[in-house]
Amino acid sequence: LCPPKAATSSDEEDDSDASTKPIRSEKKKNPVSLFQTGGDPPKEKKTKKKALPKAAESEEETPGTPQKNSNKKGKGKKSKKVKEERPPSPVIEVDNLEEFVLRPAPQGVTIKCRVTRDKKGMDRGLYPTYYLHLDNDKKVFLLAGRKRKKSKTSNYLISIDPTDLSRGGDNFIGKLRSNLMGTKFTVFDNGANPDRANANWSNVRQELSAVVYETNVLGFKGPRKMTVIIPGMNSDNERVPIRPRNDNDGLLMRWQNKNMDNVIELHNKAPVWNDETQSYVLNFHGRVTHASVKNFQIVHGSDPDYIVMQFGRVADDAFTMDYNYPLCAVQAFAIALSSFDGKLACE
């Protein structure tokens, strides 16, 4: 079994000025350039960019007090204590849910979410349902996901309707599929299988992300090592569509063949061993309160201070999931779902 304290946040780190470092580095560097891979010529990107820094400042600067990670077990009720412990999301307008969950996070705004795991029902242990909500007062529903039954490999359906998790329904928005070993995952949108392509391939599904889990020296005990592969962004800050015509053209094969045109490679931030707590620790700035092997932060190798995504436990069946540009909700939720998978899952 995995050690119970695999990667959590530590009080020591949260009390230090480490919590200000990512904010400083974001102002020095422009993280957007890390994810640009070409694509179309620019159109009207300047107007977009000018409007966004305000959101970044208001979101980042609002917590005036240092965020301590008090490790109190919050009940999830709307009490002030819980809010201080886990800073909520800024006001995010979800006008059209389908568009919102596929749209990259605005530059400079961290979209803070909460994942809950529901194990009720006949197959509760094997096929729980996962729900994604915005972590704010309104608790706006974003996505639901569940593992498909009778599938040879792990196959999670992702829906924009919490009550309809069927493959054929209008609410199907994407899926996460693993290899036989359960160590590599691919995230698709709701487009058609290449076998059912139309004449110009415009209806074929896009690959939104891939996740690779490496076994370390200890097998799966100890900190996990994750590689996340995503499509790059064009000069208009839109995702470059990756529509493979067969399995040899997908994100995983491109990454394995080192064909990184229009593809970005990310990794989880390595936790640091803490002698005092005898555990691996990461600084989650108050957003994660429970130790778990599932806790992780995803970063770009060129700027490890810019957290593209972080995920971690706050209760037995509740987790926070925060993501930044260039990820969208479907990408981040699917990456989080991959960490729950049976062959990897050890608490």
Side-chain angles (χ1 to χ4, degrees):
L1 286 175
C2 295
K5 294 200 173 194
T8 183
S9 42
S10 70
D11 292 340
E12 297 86 9
E13 279 188 271
D14 276 0
D15 289 344
S16 75
D17 63 355
S19 58
T20 59
K21 280 180 192 164
I23 298 166
R24 281 196 209 117
S25 76
E26 266 171 48
K27 285 180 180 167
K28 268 188 283 182
K29 286 182 190 172
N30 179 8
V32 175
S33 60
L34 299 172
F35 306 105
Q36 277 198 352
T37 58
D40 306 327
K43 289 173 195 161
E44 303 167 283
K45 64 174 179 177
K46 280 181 185 163
T47 51
K48 280 188 201 166
K49 276 194 181 173
K50 276 179 191 163
L52 290 163
K54 277 187 187 170
E57 281 166 23
S58 62
E59 200 278 313
E60 294 285 13
E61 313 289 341
T62 37
T65 51
Q67 295 168 3
K68 292 184 184 175
N69 190 11
S70 59
N71 266 334
K72 287 175 190 157
K73 293 188 179 178
K75 296 270 194 309
K77 299 275 188 288
K78 293 179 189 174
S79 67
K80 283 179 187 170
K81 277 183 185 172
V82 175
K83 272 190 190 165
E84 281 167 19
E85 181 183 302
R86 199 177 75 247
S89 183
V91 176
I92 305 284
E93 291 301 322
V94 181
D95 37 5
N96 176 325
L97 184 55
E98 187 170 354
E99 278 178 24
F100 177 84
V101 296
L102 288 167
R103 192 190 313 148
Q107 293 161 32
V109 177
T110 299
I111 298 188
K112 297 179 179 177
C113 306
R114 187 178 173 90
V115 176
T116 46
R117 175 171 56 184
D118 181 5
K119 294 180 177 174
K120 295 185 184 78
M122 292 275 288
D123 310 306
R124 62 185 178 201
L126 292 171
Y127 302 101
T129 304
Y130 300 91
Y131 299 103
L132 182 71
H133 291 81
L134 284 180
D135 194 9
N136 57 14
D137 289 341
K138 291 182 181 172
K139 302 274 186 290
V140 178
F141 167 80
L142 297 178
L143 294 165
R146 191 175 63 212
K147 199 175 194 175
R148 288 182 81 177
K149 299 168 192 177
K150 299 176 184 166
S151 190
K152 286 176 190 166
T153 60
S154 295
N155 214 320
Y156 292 79
L157 287 184
I158 300 172
S159 169
I160 50 172
D161 184 335
T163 61
D164 175 18
L165 281 143
S166 62
R167 174 70 178 84
D170 292 339
N171 299 302
F172 169 70
I173 194 86
K175 75 170 185 176
L176 170 75
R177 187 181 74 192
S178 85
N179 64 350
L180 281 168
M181 291 282 290
T183 53
K184 294 177 181 173
F185 296 81
T186 304
V187 184
F188 302 95
D189 71 1
N190 56 358
N193 187 299
D195 300 340
R196 293 187 284 279
N198 59 15
N200 62 359
W201 288 81
S202 61
N203 69 333
V204 169
R205 64 190 180 196
Q206 289 186 45
E207 287 194 9
L208 299 178
S209 177
V211 190
V212 179
Y213 289 87
E214 296 167 41
T215 47
N216 52 30
V217 185
L218 304 163
F220 277 115
K221 296 177 183 177
R224 291 179 180 174
K225 284 188 170 182
M226 297 166 68
T227 301
V228 174
I229 305 121
I230 57 171
M233 307 299 279
N234 65 20
S235 48
D236 242 5
N237 301 318
E238 292 164 347
R239 205 165 29 246
V240 176
I242 305 274
R243 287 194 171 89
R245 301 193 172 202
N246 54 56
D247 288 342
N248 295 323
D249 187 31
L251 287 171
L252 284 170
M253 287 304 288
R254 293 182 187 205
W255 174 74
Q256 279 168 224
N257 296 331
K258 298 187 168 46
N259 169 17
M260 300 301 281
D261 290 349
N262 293 327
V263 175
I264 303 286
E265 180 181 322
L266 307 169
H267 294 275
N268 65 314
K269 199 169 189 175
V272 181
W273 180 257
N274 181 308
D275 279 335
E276 207 172 303
T277 59
Q278 288 293 294
S279 62
Y280 288 95
V281 295
L282 273 173
N283 188 353
F284 287 91
H285 307 299
R287 291 284 292 161
V288 175
T289 55
H290 287 43
S292 169
V293 74
K294 294 185 178 73
N295 300 350
F296 64 81
Q297 291 178 324
I298 300 294
V299 294
H300 191 293
S302 300
D303 185 359
D305 286 335
Y306 181 74
I307 308 295
V308 179
M309 170 188 176
Q310 71 176 27
F311 178 78
R313 188 189 290 276
V314 291
D316 284 349
D317 288 307
F319 305 79
T320 52
M321 185 197 91
D322 302 345
Y323 67 96
N324 281 297
Y325 180 89
L327 289 190
C328 68
V330 171
Q331 285 170 311
F333 185 48
I335 293 165
L337 286 178
S338 75
S339 76
F340 287 109
D341 195 59
K343 293 185 184 176
L344 298 170
C346 36
E347 301 294 314

